[in-house]
Amino acid sequence: LPSFNDDIQGTGAVTLAGIKSALKITGGNLRDQVFVIYGAGAGGIGVARQIKVALVAEGLSEEEAKERIYVLDSRGVVYEGREGVDEYKREFARRGDFASGWNLSDPSRVSLMDTVKNAKPTVLVGLSGIAGAFTEELVRTMAENCQNPIIFPLSNPTSNSEARPEDIYEWTEGKAVVATGSPFPDVEFRDRIFKVGQGNNVFIFPGVGLGALAVGAEVITDEMFTVAAETLAEMVSQFRLNLRCVYPAISDLREVCRKVAAAVALKAMEQKVARKPVLPEVVEEVIEKRMWVPRYCRYTRGPEDI
């Protein structure tokens, strides 16, 4: 029975999709970005893994990909030799001397602010569950080193968000691209409307599961999640991108699931892990037939003496 962990892999894929959409707004390639992931729980490590897989697909080696990713927990950057690093985090531990030459506020740890000042990230992702962790000073510092910072405070519920979208837009003078993990209203800033996209895993996991079932995938691969992320990114309309929104509307969910499922099924066949392959040209038809439609039998009132 093939399975996947949505908290890890689904979160990673939906975040990667948002970053890819954001790069359509800011310009540049994924492989040229510097990523800071604040929060090293299951979701944070899932995001780091999915970014690494995507960077390798763009031609970087695994080591080169890891060099572009900084993962932080409550004690700061995860690095080799640091006390209190859980085993599952070691995959993204930096070399022990990574901060050599950095000007640190506290030599005993490398904080989020230290990392933003010295690593000069272009992408900042929050999965810490700590409300307000992305302070005005932090965001302004990032914006000084990056013309169009990509900032995703993804912790939910809303009360746990690392920053409010309206504050990020103000602190970056409207230059940031923002997505959140919880729903936020549109933001009006300097006569512009910014639509805040919600990085909801529901854009990913139903399509991944449906695509795998449709062709009898014997395993769910990392590449299936990568293609799911790429497909999701492609489904963001130019209208929404113009509003600096990096995700489709929830009302488009059915069509998103259909496209993601088809892409996942095709990838399973390409990787030769499909036990029930079909002709590529009929994949969408097969997917459509398996999609549930909310149709119900009509009920009528029967005789009262029955």
Side-chain angles (χ1 to χ4, degrees), residues 6 28 32 55 80 87 99 148 196 209 219 227 261 274 276 279 289:
D6 179 57
D32 297 326
L55 289 172
E80 295 172 357
E87 186 62 35
N148 295 111
V196 183
V219 64
V227 78
K276 298 184 292 183
L279 293 173
K289 287 181 178 179

Side-chain angles (χ1 to χ4, degrees), residues 34-39 66-73 75-79 82 94 98-99 102-106 109-125 134 137-138 141-142 145:
V34 177
F35 306 87
V36 168
I37 300 168
Y38 185 55
K66 288 181 183 179
E67 281 297 307
R68 306 200 72 80
I69 303 170
Y70 294 82
V71 175
L72 292 85
D73 60 14
R75 299 185 183 184
V77 174
V78 175
Y79 61 88
R82 200 202 79 183
R94 309 285 302 191
F98 82 98
W102 284 19
N103 184 19
L104 303 178
S105 56
D106 179 355
R109 64 193 295 270
V110 185
S111 69
L112 178 59
M113 178 60 83
D114 291 330
T115 308
V116 168
K117 284 182 177 179
N118 292 277
K120 295 179 171 55
T122 57
V123 180
L124 175 61
V125 178
F134 294 171
E137 182 186 6
L138 184 85
T141 300
M142 185 176 176
N145 298 320

